[in-house]
Amino acid sequence: KRREEVCPPENLLVVTVATKETDGFRRFLRSAKHFNYSVKVLGQGLKWEGGDYMSAPGGGQKVRLLKAALDQMKDEDQIILFIDSYDVIFASDPRELLKKFKQAKHKVVFSSESLIWPDRHLEDKHPHVREGNRFLGSGGFMGFLPNIKEMISNWTGADSDSDQLFFTRIYTDPAKRKSINITLDSKCRLFQNLHGALDEVVLKFEDGRVRARNVLYDTLPVIVHGNGPTKLQINYLGNYIPNIWTFEGGCSVCDENLQSLPGGDSDHPLVMVGVFIQQPTPFVTVFFERLLQLQYPKNRLKLFIYNQEAHHKHHVDAFLRDHGNLYENIKNIEPEEEMDAPSLCRRDEGCDYVFSLDVEVVLKNDKTLKILIEQNLPMIAPMITRSGRLWSNFWGALSADGYYARSEDYVDIVQERRVGVWNVPYVSSVFLVGGSLLRSDLSDPELFSSDVLDPDMAFCHHVRRKGVFMFVTNMHTFGRILSTENYQTTRLHNDLWQIFENPVDWQERYIHQNYTLIMKDKLIEMPCPDVYWFPLFTNVACDHLVEEMEHHGKWSGGGNVDKRIQGGYENVPTIDIHMNQISFDKEWRKLLMEYVAPITEKMYPGYYTQCSSPLNFVVRYKPDEQPLLVPHHDASTFTINIALNSKDVDYQGGGCRFLRYNCSVTAPRKGWALMHPGRLTHYHEGLPTTAGVRYIAVSFVDP
């Protein structure tokens, strides 16, 4: 009679076999602990002899271990739940499980599947069901102790024999099925096997918890099993179930099991930083500046720089020359050398982590390395994105052929509408992996090798095959990744041309740090009537533009005849180089539209410019060449004049005088722009440069 009532939770014992403590096993235990399940683990520390589930039948070792364990148990009211663990999550508590078990009205309940495996010939022997799955799944079953003992009493198979086939033969034998009193959980009320059912299972968010819902049978399974080839799908569900991430509370486990870094620098883990340069990449100088700013004791960092691009050799050499002595150790690997950071760390027992970093990563957060180490996970990447795009350095799912597929939550994670630490199938560009992991589960020296996959994909494929979880975190903002498309290396300062491909990085490198404060902090000055003065360029921008022009070297002669302009005659000539001579006119017009036009429209209300057909050039003034410019009007509606070097440092004299107002700007600031009307009211002259060389960039806008 007692069995007719719902059994008390203390009568339930979860039994599982786990010969190794994997990431999946830890996830299983966490979900069991969340719901207060009592768990008995069999086989710990033993060698697994039960075969590989992904390829051939196996699992007999589980039945042998279960049989031995049950022989020690005597309580006939005990209910045993026997399930896999590496790919299983609990979605609800023992009370619900026991209630549903009772409603099944049988002594033993097996999980069900829509697919028959491993022997198709047994299909006709399976009883038909009115609704639901017809076939038995051996990855999960529960029942009273005596009935399960009876069921496995005749097991004499080898460890590599199929447990699935053993239980299927018992179930398809009408006499045994009746004697043991077995049924299937056909509508997935207790167990949800994902293989063959991926389209049926969705996440159900409700009241601060998350469950899996089977939409085909409208059931809420208590146990979710990523059997067979559905490991990535159970990983996806495991990012949410049972309460890992909810809309109400966000991530509930992201602050658990964190590792505190010690106070003393010398006690920090030793990290091997692998820097990979595999193609021509913009802003490499900035990359090394950021690497230098990384908040981590440099005497606990070993640098491994793998440069396959000859164009960047001088960048690497300059960094090593100026800063190499700050680090514990530095290794510069030549392109022909066969070596990688994981291999070096594997051979070095003192290496605690490898931090792999591609040169196109813009690591804005200088605490990135510390944050990743503190997460205390086997392999973790900081989420980085491409500015204005949905591209990121992780994939939320894989296609059938192992390439990118978009998971349901991918966009929300990338756009930070869901913030947490996510188990994903692929990371690239920047990640941290534990040294102990490289010396154990990931000890294969061929981790990056594949006949069909590129190295990153091959690496992640090997990691997944080993059952190691890869995580990506968007708990902090870490940075972005550069576009390397269309990057030319034929010029002196190639980064100047990146205003279209990498506009955010271009702005950080070349636009004055106070530019964005111009309006808010009223930084625009008016040194003369209707002449506006504002910060525009960084020192680097000024230097690069001057050096690019001198590198080009084809300065005009300063005569009136000038075939470069319409009509071929210049009334007031200068010694200059036009932007289109260095193929920089498109980029310069973009600069005018993005950074000058908004200020023009603010300071000259009612005038809207498209910066059409501007004449753009850099002028050079020298005492013995062309020291000044006679009074003149400009062929423009308004003119931009940017000082490219510093008075009293690079030259003496110079400046601009507006004759109508008898007003002069005699101390131009490097990187600051003068903006003034070109015709009628602002007749002006260039004051003499008395020593050195003065450079200015000029635009005649809206001629």
Side-chain angles (χ1 to χ4, degrees):
K1 186 175 179 182
R2 280 162 54 199
R3 289 183 189 168
E4 297 304 312
E5 303 163 359
V6 174
C7 289
E10 53 267 26
N11 280 24
L12 176 67
L13 178 65
V14 179
V15 181
T16 189
V17 172
T19 55
K20 187 177 175 188
E21 191 175 315
T22 64
D23 293 333
F25 177 69
R26 284 186 282 271
R27 174 182 60 194
F28 166 80
L29 283 186
R30 183 167 62 191
S31 73
K33 182 181 178 184
H34 179 74
F35 292 115
N36 293 318
Y37 282 94
S38 297
V39 179
K40 183 177 180 64
V41 183
L42 309 178
Q44 285 179 299
L46 298 180
K47 185 180 179 187
W48 175 248
E49 305 284 2
D52 178 2
Y53 278 85
M54 295 296 285
S55 50
Q61 186 176 1
K62 292 193 302 181
V63 187
R64 174 173 65 79
L65 292 170
L66 176 64
K67 183 180 177 185
L70 296 192
D71 284 345
Q72 309 301 313
M73 300 181 194
K74 307 300 179 193
D75 183 356
E76 296 197 355
D77 288 331
Q78 179 106 62
I79 294 178
I80 301 296
L81 168 63
F82 189 62
I83 45 173
D84 291 348
S85 57
Y86 296 163
D87 50 10
V88 167
I89 315 168
F90 286 103
S92 191
D93 57 42
R95 289 189 181 278
E96 182 178 335
L97 181 68
L98 289 164
K99 179 182 175 185
K100 289 178 173 177
F101 173 64
K102 181 196 171 191
Q103 290 167 346
K105 294 184 168 62
H106 283 72
K107 298 297 194 304
V108 177
V109 179
F110 269 87
S111 70
S112 67
E113 298 196 44
S114 61
L115 308 168
I116 185 167
W117 190 82
D119 187 351
R120 291 189 173 278
H121 297 102
L122 295 175
E123 180 172 350
D124 292 341
K125 295 192 174 184
H126 280 74
H128 285 276
V129 294
R130 209 172 347 171
E131 185 184 10
N133 298 326
R134 184 180 165 198
F135 305 114
L136 173 145
S138 66
F141 59 84
M142 69 183 295
F144 287 98
L145 178 63
N147 304 74
I148 292 180
K149 276 187 172 182
E150 179 186 347
M151 182 172 68
I152 62 176
S153 60
N154 292 329
W155 172 264
T156 55
D159 282 356
S160 57
D161 285 355
S162 171
D163 60 333
Q164 172 81 16
L165 192 56
F166 172 73
F167 290 122
T168 300
R169 283 179 173 148
I170 292 173
Y171 176 67
T172 53
D173 181 322
K176 289 181 179 177
R177 185 168 68 245
K178 184 176 181 183
S179 159
I180 300 167
N181 197 5
I182 305 174
T183 190
L184 300 188
D185 176 34
S186 294
K187 294 202 285 185
C188 308
R189 300 178 74 248
L190 291 80
F191 304 95
Q192 176 67 63
N193 288 313
L194 294 179
H195 190 30
L198 292 177
D199 294 338
E200 301 167 17
V201 180
V202 298
L203 288 168
K204 176 180 170 65
F205 295 89
E206 185 180 69
D207 300 330
R209 64 182 290 193
V210 192
R211 299 200 60 161
R213 175 171 173 246
N214 185 303
V215 294
L216 185 60
Y217 306 121
D218 195 21
T219 53
L220 298 172
V222 177
I223 294 154
V224 188
H225 181 200
N227 57 321
T230 63
K231 305 300 178 236
L232 301 188
Q233 286 76 15
I234 192 70
N235 289 352
Y236 167 76
L237 297 174
N239 282 327
Y240 297 93
I241 300 169
N243 72 327
I244 304 301
W245 191 95
T246 62
F247 284 106
E248 295 85 351
C251 181
S252 69
V253 300
C254 291
D255 294 327
E256 290 180 7
N257 197 33
L258 297 184
Q259 173 179 218
S260 296
L261 285 170
D265 286 359
S266 60
D267 298 323
H268 277 60
L270 182 66
V271 181
M272 184 167 287
V273 181
V275 173
F276 295 89
I277 308 173
Q278 295 170 308
Q279 59 196 333
T281 305
F283 304 108
V284 168
T285 305
V286 183
F287 170 87
F288 281 115
E289 288 170 7
R290 289 210 173 91
L291 182 61
L292 202 61
Q293 292 160 7
L294 206 58
Q295 293 291 309
Y296 202 85
K298 291 182 174 51
N299 63 348
R300 301 300 292 160
L301 295 177
K302 290 187 174 184
L303 277 191
F304 157 93
I305 301 176
Y306 187 81
N307 179 22
Q308 289 186 296
E309 180 51 54
H311 172 70
H312 293 307
K313 185 177 186 304
H314 70 285
H315 294 123
V316 174
D317 291 346
F319 175 75
L320 296 181
R321 181 186 66 243
D322 296 340
H323 308 292
N325 62 333
L326 298 174
Y327 293 89
E328 167 68 15
N329 189 23
I330 280 196
K331 193 161 183 61
N332 189 13
I333 307 299
E334 298 299 326
E336 61 276 4
E337 290 186 66
E338 291 289 327
M339 204 174 293
D340 58 67
S343 298
L344 291 170
C345 181
R346 209 176 276 126
R347 296 201 293 264
D348 181 351
E349 285 294 331
C351 174
D352 296 305
Y353 294 97
V354 165
F355 184 46
S356 183
L357 184 59
D358 289 353
V359 77
E360 56 265 35
V361 172
V362 180
L363 215 52
K364 294 282 289 177
N365 190 329
D366 60 8
K367 296 184 178 67
T368 297
L369 183 52
K370 285 187 172 182
I371 290 167
L372 298 183
I373 291 173
E374 285 167 351
Q375 279 296 327
N376 201 22
L377 290 167
M379 183 170 166
I380 183 167
M383 186 186 79
I384 53 168
T385 56
R386 184 159 288 157
S387 202
R389 304 263 296 276
L390 283 174
W391 190 97
S392 75
N393 65 322
F394 78 95
W395 296 349
L398 294 183
S399 62
D401 55 359
Y403 287 83
Y404 169 82
R406 181 174 289 182
S407 60
E408 290 175 24
D409 57 1
Y410 177 80
V411 173
D412 280 351
I413 293 172
V414 169
Q415 296 182 341
E416 297 180 359
R417 289 196 291 268
R418 299 186 189 185
V419 173
V421 179
W422 311 94
N423 184 342
V424 295
Y426 172 89
V427 297
S428 68
S429 304
V430 51
F431 57 85
L432 183 80
V433 59
S436 58
L437 188 64
L438 292 168
R439 289 185 284 274
S440 54
D441 288 352
L442 302 183
S443 59
D444 184 350
E446 302 299 317
L447 284 176
F448 292 91
S449 301
S450 169
D451 293 334
V452 291
L453 301 174
D454 69 31
D456 280 345
M457 290 173 65
F459 178 66
C460 292
H461 172 76
H462 287 303
V463 172
R464 292 193 304 269
R465 290 281 297 180
K466 290 292 187 180
V468 173
F469 289 173
M470 288 172 275
F471 294 91
V472 67
T473 172
N474 64 346
M475 296 279 286
H476 302 79
T477 300
F478 294 101
R480 56 185 176 269
I481 194 157
L482 294 165
S483 167
T484 56
E485 296 167 30
N486 307 317
Y487 187 61
Q488 305 295 319
T489 59
T490 54
R491 304 177 176 103
L492 184 65
H493 295 296
N494 301 283
D495 297 348
L496 270 174
W497 278 259
Q498 286 293 297
I499 190 169
F500 291 105
E501 284 293 339
N502 292 291
V504 176
D505 298 88
W506 192 92
Q507 176 173 322
E508 285 186 2
R509 185 69 162 157
Y510 292 126
I511 295 299
H512 198 287
Q513 63 181 10
N514 290 336
Y515 174 84
T516 53
L517 305 174
I518 282 175
M519 302 303 185
K520 182 167 78 77
D521 292 352
K522 299 183 172 58
L523 295 183
I524 299 179
E525 300 178 20
M526 191 168 71
C528 299
D530 281 329
V531 176
Y532 298 102
W533 203 14
F534 57 92
L536 182 62
F537 274 169
T538 61
N539 283 344
V540 172
C542 297
D543 295 346
H544 281 192
L545 193 54
V546 168
E547 289 165 15
E548 199 66 53
M549 291 303 183
E550 289 292 2
H551 180 69
H552 179 72
K554 295 177 181 175
W555 296 93
S556 65
N560 296 106
V561 176
D562 191 343
K563 294 179 181 177
R564 299 171 303 169
I565 61 174
Q566 196 171 1
Y569 185 84
E570 172 59 72
N571 194 35
V572 186
T574 53
I575 290 178
D576 57 47
I577 295 175
H578 288 191
M579 297 297 179
N580 61 11
Q581 289 178 256
I582 63 166
S583 303
F584 198 58
D585 43 341
K586 273 195 316 189
E587 289 76 8
W588 192 264
R589 186 176 176 222
K590 173 77 168 171
L591 160 78
L592 295 175
M593 283 300 298
E594 291 287 325
Y595 300 102
V596 173
I599 294 173
T600 308
E601 291 163 12
K602 181 79 174 174
M603 305 322 292
Y604 301 121
Y607 182 75
Y608 300 98
T609 178
Q610 291 298 310
C611 299
S612 58
S613 307
L615 182 61
N616 311 307
F617 50 97
V618 170
V619 179
R620 183 174 73 184
Y621 291 113
K622 293 167 75 172
D624 57 351
E625 191 176 66
Q626 180 182 10
L628 54 81
L629 200 58
V630 298
H632 63 282
H633 285 296
D634 292 337
S636 69
T637 302
F638 69 94
T639 295
I640 299 295
N641 174 334
I642 308 164
L644 297 180
N645 57 350
S646 300
K647 183 172 180 173
D648 299 330
V649 176
D650 303 306
Y651 64 90
Q652 299 290 324
C656 182
R657 176 170 173 259
F658 296 91
L659 280 72
R660 178 186 178 96
Y661 309 106
N662 192 25
C663 179
S664 299
V665 180
T666 56
R669 299 168 190 157
K670 184 175 179 179
W672 281 56
L674 278 176
M675 179 171 69
H676 60 81
R679 298 187 181 92
L680 196 62
T681 57
H682 282 66
Y683 193 56
H684 60 284
E685 64 180 332
L687 299 173
T689 298
T690 57
V693 185
R694 178 183 177 219
Y695 297 94
I696 58 171
V698 178
S699 284
F700 293 165
V701 187
D702 298 342

